[in-house]
Every structure is written in structure tokens, then in C-alpha cells.
Amino acid sequence: MDSDLAQRIAKITSTLSPSVRSIAVSKTVSPERIRDAYAAGVRDFGENRIQEATAKQDQLQDLNDITWHFIGHLQSNKAKIALERFDWIHSVDRLKLAQTLNRFIEKGCPSPILCLQVKLRPDPNKSGWTVSELLADLPALEQCKALNIQGLMTIAPLGLDESETRAVFRETRQLADRIRALNLPGISITELSMGMSGDYPLAVAEGATAVRLGRSVFGER
Ligand SMILES: *Cc1c(COP(=O)(O)O)cnc(C)c1O
């Protein structure tokens, strides 16, 4: 048991409202340390690479009440395994991928909770819909009837000051409000997956329902 880890987890838990889901991002973290976090009470874990994640999941099968979150760029050829292995996919970042997921679910694959990844500022290193792209794709997304779309996910660009970062989170919430107001059958946008170790208090202040914390839980990678 790692007492520093347990203390960091306790501290984060004490500062977050129980209504905000705190996801421990365990990319690059060993199964042993995931077990330690589990022993300290963590049940939500986030991974960004399918191969790494499934290898660790295989070693942690006895911890059968973990909720697994996929948060990385998902290639279409890994779409099926992502459906089979994750309870949430936060990083649905393009229509083609949504349509691929929809086809697999129609054929009987599990149907995890999905978030649409949006990009509120230009960022060549990040994928996701811009606001106008997402609004344009909504009718096609609505046709993906098997999908369980419940939220938006965003990553604030590095190097913004606090007020700029907060604006990114605020605009994400406003976009969710705007989509909700359209009352599209099958698209409910109540989850806001936003905030990482460096900026999660700002995200929570702007209405995040899920924060994705790597370094602040497990230490520097
Ligand atoms: C790595 C990662 C995180 C966690 O980042 P930290 O800065 O370690 O908290 C959150 N979200 C995504 C999409 C990530 O890839």
C-alpha cells in the first residue's frame, strides 16, 4: 500500500463534490499501482491506449466493480474492442467513428456511455469537433440510433491563462446547453468531461460532471 497515493486520493476526494465523478487516469501506471488506488477507494480509471489498457484489465479482472473510461484517440480498427472493454468512451471525435461504433452496437456489441470530444480552440495536436462542425454533424449523429451519447468532452489547450482556460470550459457547457435545447431524440448531453490535474478546479467551477486526473493522483509520469 502506498500512503502518499492514498493521501493524494483522499485530498482530491475531499475537495470534490460527490456529484463530480473523479476518474483516475492510469495511463503508464502499473497494475500494482492501480490496485493501490483501488484499495484507497478509486473505482473509475481512465486509459488512453487500447493495447496497454486491455493488458492491464486482464491482470485486474478480480476487481470487477471498476468503471473503465477510454479517453484517448480511438482508431476505427480498435472501435469494437473499445466497446467490449470500456464502460465509457470520452473521446468520440469524428462522425466516421461514431458511425462505426453504431454499426458494431447494432450487431450486438455492448453500448457504453459516450461523450463527443469537442475542440473549442484551434489545436493541431488535438482531435475533436469544432462547434460549427459538431452542429453540422448532429443530424447524422442523430441517425446513429444505437449510440448512448450522454455528454461532451474537452481538453483545454496548454498555455492558456486561468481566465482563458475557464472560458474554454464555459463555452463547452454553453455548447451542451445549446444542443440540449434542440431536444434531439437519443442525444442527451448531461455529462461534461472536462478538467485535468492542472485545471480541474476551473472545470468544476464551470460545471464539469467528470474530471480526468492523472498526475494529481498517481504523481508525475
Ligand atoms: C493524460 C490525460 C489526462 C490526465 O492528465 P493529467 O495532467 O495527468 O491529469 C486527462 N485527459 C486526457 C484525455 C489525457 O490524455
Side-chain angles (χ1 to χ4, degrees), residues 166 169 194-196 199-211:
R166 222 180 135 138
F169 296 139
M194 50 190 203
M196 315 189 356
D199 56 20
Y200 74 91
L202 303 173
V204 170
E206 292 296 344
T209 62
V211 293

Side-chain angles (χ1 to χ4, degrees), residues 4 9 44 65 84 126 148 159 166 175 180 197 208 211:
D4 286 351
I9 291 166
D44 288 274
D65 61 346
E84 291 165 345
K126 295 279 177 266
N148 183 11
R166 222 180 135 138
L175 177 59
R180 214 175 311 108
S197 296
V211 293

Side-chain angles (χ1 to χ4, degrees), residues 19-59:
S19 64
V20 177
R21 187 184 286 263
S22 166
I23 300 162
V25 175
S26 49
K27 61 189 187 197
T28 77
V29 172
S30 70
E32 291 70 31
R33 280 179 67 70
I34 294 177
R35 273 183 198 281
D36 285 345
Y38 181 94
V42 177
R43 292 296 178 272
D44 288 274
F45 291 92
E47 291 282 342
N48 71 337
R49 287 171 192 276
I50 293 289
Q51 213 169 351
E52 177 189 340
T54 55
K56 289 191 281 191
Q57 287 171 337
D58 287 346
Q59 295 180 58

Side-chain angles (χ1 to χ4, degrees), residues 25 27 48 71 153 155 196-198 212-215 221:
V25 175
K27 61 189 187 197
N48 71 337
I71 62 170
M153 183 273 241
I155 302 171
M196 315 189 356
S197 296
R212 308 177 310 270
L213 307 179
R215 290 166 297 136
R221 281 185 291 276

